[in-house]
Amino acid sequence: MSTLLKPKTAAELRDLYVRQEMMPTIFCDGCGLGNVLNYTLWALDELQVDLNQVVFVSGIGCSSRLSGYVNSDGMHTTHGRALSFASGIKAANPNLTVIVFTGDGDGAGIGGNHLLHTIRRNMDLTVILVNNFIYGMTGGQSAPTTPIGGISSTTPYGNVEYAMDICALAMALEAPYVARWTVNQPYPPIKSIAQGIAKRGFALIEMLVPCPTAYGGRNGLKGVERIWQWYRDNTVLLDDFEHIMEFGTHEEQEEIKHKIKVGVLQDSERECFDEQWAKLVERVKL
Amino acid sequence: MEQTFTILIDERWCKGCKLCYIHCPTQALRIAERFSPRGIHPPELALVERCNGCRLCELLCPDFAITVSEEVAVHG
C-alpha cells in the first residue's frame, strides 16, 4: 500500500461503487454515516480490491443501512447478529473480504456477546463499528456507550450508568487491529480502514459519528456545526496524549485527561481462525 | 502559473447539511440564495481565487455530491 493517498474523485467513486438508485442516503443533515461510507469506499479503492470478492454484512440500525448502498454482495441481517453471519461467510469461503458495518447499539449492546466471541475466535473480518452514543433509528434510547449524564429518551434526567469503551474491550481480548477515529478528518480513517482490511485477523475500527437528531438536540449540541465541533474539542490523538502525559504541564494534563483517545490503539499479529482451521484440517486428515 | 479549481455540486444528491461550508479552510464557499430542485440552498464556490483545491469538501461530503476539479487555463 502506498503511503501517499491519491483518492479518486467523488464522482468516479460513486459511479464505481454505489448503487445509484438507492441514493441519496436516508441519513439526516449533519450525520457522519455518509462519511463512513465514503471513507470505506476510498479505502477499498486504495487497496484495489475486486468488488466481486467483497461481502458487506450489517445488522439493524442507521449504520447498518450502509451495506445497502454499496454495489456488491451483502447481507442485512438480524439485530446484533451481523458478526455471526459474517463469521459464517468467512468460514465457508475464506477468500472473501468480509466487511461488517455495525452500530454501538447493534454491535456492543444487543450483539455484545457476539462481539466478544468473534474477537476471541479472531475471525478475519473488518468491523467498522459506528458509535454515535445512542440508539438513533429507534428513537434515541440510551445505549451502552451513552456517556454518564447523557440525556436520551429512556434517560430523560441524565444517564447514571458508565459508558462502555468498546476499543478497550477489543484490546483486552487481544484483537490484532484496534483503531478509533472521528469523521472530522478524512485521511486518517481512510488509511486506517485500508490497514484494517489488509490485516489478517480481526480488525475493529470504531468511528465516532455525530448524531445531531437523536443525541445532539437533547444534549445541548443542536445544529450541525456545534455537534461536529464537540468531536473536535473532546478527542485527542493518541500520540499527543502520550506526549502531553509525559512532558506536558499539570494544566495541560488535566485538560486532556478525560478526552476520548483517537488513533491506532493496537496493531499486532495473531493467527486467525482460517489459519488455525487449515492447520487442524492438515493435522487430522487421513 | 496560478492554478484555479472548479467545484461541481450534484444538486440531486446534496442535502444542504453545510458541512462543506463549515469546514472549508479558506472560506471559499458560500450558501446560495436560490433553491435547488430538492428545495434546499446548495453551496457554491464564491471566491474562486481563494480555493486551493485541498478537496476537503469533496472528502467530507456525506452524499458524494461535491467534485473538485482543476480548471485548465486557456492561453491566448
Side-chain angles (χ1 to χ4, degrees):
Chain A
M1 194 176 66
S2 65
T3 46
L4 192 74
L5 294 175
K6 269 198 179 155
K8 277 200 168 72
T9 65
E12 286 170 336
L13 197 74
R14 69 185 187 206
D15 289 342
L16 272 172
Y17 293 99
V18 173
R19 286 189 180 137
Q20 307 274 330
E21 68 278 10
M22 294 279 285
M23 294 299 279
T25 57
I26 61 153
F27 308 128
C28 313
D29 281 5
C31 176
L33 279 167
N35 298 66
V36 176
L37 180 65
N38 287 4
Y39 300 163
T40 309
L41 297 183
W42 260 306
L44 276 176
D45 192 68
E46 179 68 21
L47 293 172
Q48 292 293 311
V49 187
D50 178 12
L51 210 58
N52 292 320
Q53 294 298 310
V54 183
V55 183
F56 284 88
V57 187
S58 62
I60 297 293
C62 290
S63 57
S64 300
R65 285 194 60 94
L66 289 175
S67 62
Y69 297 115
V70 192
N71 200 5
S72 80
D73 289 333
M75 270 182 111
H76 197 168
T77 69
T78 48
H79 205 351
R81 272 72 197 172
L83 288 168
S84 309
F85 285 88
S87 299
I89 294 167
K90 192 72 194 180
N93 188 352
N95 297 323
L96 294 173
T97 303
V98 185
I99 300 172
V100 182
F101 284 121
T102 181
D104 53 332
D106 187 57
I110 288 168
N113 201 23
H114 294 291
L115 183 72
L116 288 181
H117 292 286
T118 316
I119 303 176
R120 181 183 61 81
R121 203 172 280 141
N122 200 13
M123 294 301 296
D124 184 15
L125 309 172
T126 306
V127 178
I128 299 165
L129 198 148
V130 180
N131 183 355
N132 57 4
F133 301 144
I134 208 138
Y135 282 93
M137 189 176 260
T138 49
Q141 290 86 355
S142 75
T145 45
T146 309
I148 206 153
I151 294 167
S152 68
S153 63
T154 47
T155 56
Y157 303 107
N159 184 23
V160 291
E161 298 167 12
Y162 291 101
M164 175 178 172
D165 186 339
I166 300 161
C167 284
L169 178 84
M171 282 157 76
L173 289 161
E174 294 180 49
Y177 190 87
V178 184
R180 184 195 281 133
W181 297 104
T182 61
V183 286
N184 296 48
Q185 301 90 5
Y187 287 106
I190 294 174
K191 211 171 163 185
S192 190
I193 293 169
Q195 281 173 351
I197 295 168
K199 192 90 192 168
R200 293 286 293 163
F202 193 92
L204 180 87
I205 296 132
E206 182 187 351
M207 296 294 297
L208 298 173
V209 160
C211 178
T213 309
Y215 187 78
R218 290 194 181 96
N219 290 280
L221 298 166
K222 218 177 173 85
V224 176
E225 196 164 359
R226 278 176 76 185
I227 192 159
W228 278 68
Q229 189 59 41
W230 187 91
Y231 283 86
R232 262 172 212 281
D233 297 340
N234 288 280
T235 51
V236 59
L237 259 177
L238 186 67
D239 294 350
D240 292 348
F241 181 84
E242 282 169 355
H243 195 78
I244 292 171
M245 276 306 170
E246 203 168 340
F247 304 109
T249 62
H250 184 68
E251 288 81 50
E252 284 173 332
Q253 289 177 352
E254 281 297 310
E255 198 191 321
I256 60 153
K257 224 161 117 184
H258 302 291
K259 289 188 179 178
I260 306 166
K261 291 187 270 298
V262 295
V264 179
L265 305 171
Q266 188 155 289
D267 193 354
S268 60
E269 294 295 331
R270 204 181 201 202
E271 264 192 353
C272 68
F273 177 84
D274 318 339
E275 289 160 354
Q276 297 274 20
W277 179 258
K279 268 191 195 168
L280 178 75
V281 169
E282 195 59 40
R283 187 157 55 84
V284 298
K285 79 177 173 194
L286 295 169
Chain B
M1 193 187 74
E2 280 280 306
Q3 276 183 312
T4 52
F5 297 90
T6 48
I7 292 182
L8 297 166
I9 315 261
D10 190 330
E11 294 191 2
R12 295 171 304 150
W13 291 11
C14 174
K15 286 185 198 144
C17 67
K18 303 190 182 75
L19 278 175
C20 47
Y21 167 75
I22 294 165
H23 285 87
C24 180
T26 59
Q27 280 104 45
L29 294 167
R30 74 160 171 237
I31 300 299
E33 294 266 307
R34 67 192 170 83
F35 285 98
S36 77
R38 280 177 67 91
I40 50 100
H41 298 290
E44 58 185 16
L45 183 60
L47 303 157
V48 184
E49 67 282 2
R50 279 176 103 168
C51 178
N52 60 7
C54 73
R55 297 179 67 197
L56 189 65
C57 51
E58 182 177 348
L59 289 158
L60 272 175
C61 178
D63 295 288
F64 302 89
I66 303 181
T67 300
V68 181
S69 56
E70 206 174 314
E71 200 153 75
V72 184
V74 182
H75 298 282

